């Protein structure tokens, strides 16, 4: 019987509160560029999470594009160039 109570107490203590969720959503919202402008507006949690996912996808596309451009530049660079060699070693 005591073990049931202790497990129940652990489950209760490990649950995140509505206040903590609201705080985490506010912090996430502050990281999103489009939300900094309208941070005073009331936005649903689903909208904040969707915008965060969209922003992460956008960042990933930007990284992919920059990686492609860097690869093209390195391909055109003289392979004996010391700076190109350093960049190549960092990318491995």
């Amino acid at each position: 019987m005591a073990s049931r109570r202790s497990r129940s107490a652990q489950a209760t203590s490990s649950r995140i509160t509505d206040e903590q969720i609201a705080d985490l959503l506010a912090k996430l919202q502050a990281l999103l560029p489009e939300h900094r402008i309208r941070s005073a507006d009331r936005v649903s949690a689903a909208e904040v999470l969707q915008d965060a996912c969209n922003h992460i996808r956008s960042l990933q596309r930007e990284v992919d594009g920059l990686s492609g451009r860097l690869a093209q530049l390195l391909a055109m660079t003289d392979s004996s160039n010391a700076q190109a060699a350093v960049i190549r070693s960092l990318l491995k």
Side-chain angles (χ1 to χ4, degrees):
M1 188 79 134
S3 64
R4 285 185 191 168
R5 273 190 237 135
S6 64
R7 277 186 277 172
S8 176
Q10 285 176 346
T12 303
S13 67
S14 66
R15 288 190 185 142
I16 190 164
T17 66
D18 289 346
E19 185 177 311
Q20 290 170 318
I21 291 172
D23 182 51
L24 291 170
L25 282 169
K27 288 176 182 177
L28 179 59
Q29 185 176 9
L31 295 173
L32 299 173
E34 58 272 4
H35 281 286
R36 288 186 193 144
I37 299 165
R38 58 184 181 129
S39 61
D41 296 345
R42 182 81 175 140
V43 181
S44 73
E47 188 176 357
V48 172
L49 293 172
Q50 185 63 54
D51 288 347
C53 290
N54 291 339
H55 185 61
I56 291 167
R57 284 186 198 102
S58 172
L59 291 172
Q60 184 61 55
R61 283 191 301 273
E62 189 174 345
V63 166
D64 291 344
L66 290 171
S67 295
R69 285 179 52 200
L70 181 58
Q72 288 174 343
L73 288 171
L74 286 173
M76 296 184 328
T77 305
D78 180 15
S79 61
S80 64
N81 183 322
Q83 290 177 333
V86 169
I87 294 171
R88 282 188 186 93
S89 70
L90 292 172
L91 294 175
K92 291 181 181 181

